[in-house]
Amino acid sequence: QELIEAQRALRKLQEEMETAASTPAEPGRNKHRFERMMVELEDKVSQLRHDAGNLKRQLHSESKERHHAEQSLAELKAEHVALCETAQELEQQQSLRESEVRALREALDF
């Protein structure tokens, strides 16, 4: 969102610069004011480009972090499924052992 706003501001400043550039400079005081305004606009454009670059890097970094988090989540889900399957197998083995123990007790009782 900030990148979009920065791009809009950059376009607006560029339009202002073009408008100012197309205005003929009057001798004297207006010429200095025009030159000062051009320097200010160029500084603003430079700052906006710098900010846009920072935002672009930040978005790239956040995208990499999100991708890493998604990978970790997928790995954790797979591990969870495997652990659930192992737990179910162990429960079945325990149930079989309990059945075997009951059968042995019944056999010993006879």
Side-chain angles (χ1 to χ4, degrees):
Q1 181 66 24
E2 291 179 28
L3 178 60
I4 292 170
E5 291 173 11
Q7 288 172 338
R8 286 181 186 152
L10 176 62
R11 273 186 251 127
K12 183 178 177 184
L13 286 173
Q14 286 173 333
E15 289 172 6
E16 289 176 12
M17 286 176 60
E18 289 171 5
T19 301
S22 66
T23 305
E26 296 178 20
R29 171 176 139 170
N30 285 336
K31 181 178 180 182
H32 294 295
R33 194 180 96 192
F34 173 78
E35 289 172 353
R36 189 174 59 247
M37 185 177 81
M38 289 300 295
V39 168
E40 289 173 5
L41 288 174
E42 288 171 356
D43 288 345
K44 287 180 182 179
V45 167
S46 176
Q47 183 61 45
L48 286 170
R49 286 186 174 139
H50 177 74
D51 292 346
N54 287 342
L55 287 171
K56 190 174 182 179
R57 282 187 291 281
Q58 182 181 355
L59 288 172
H60 180 71
S61 175
E62 289 173 0
S63 175
K64 286 174 72 174
E65 287 176 20
R66 185 182 68 245
H67 179 70
H68 178 69
E70 289 171 351
Q71 280 183 320
S72 296
L73 179 61
E75 291 169 3
L76 289 172
K77 283 181 178 180
E79 186 177 341
H80 174 73
V81 168
L83 288 172
C84 287
E85 289 173 356
T86 301
Q88 191 174 20
E89 290 171 8
L90 290 172
E91 287 172 353
Q92 289 173 351
Q93 290 174 3
Q94 183 180 2
S95 178
L96 287 174
R97 287 186 189 121
E98 289 172 357
S99 297
E100 291 171 354
V101 168
R102 266 187 256 118
L104 285 173
R105 283 186 182 157
E106 290 175 2
L108 291 173
D109 285 342
F110 287 113

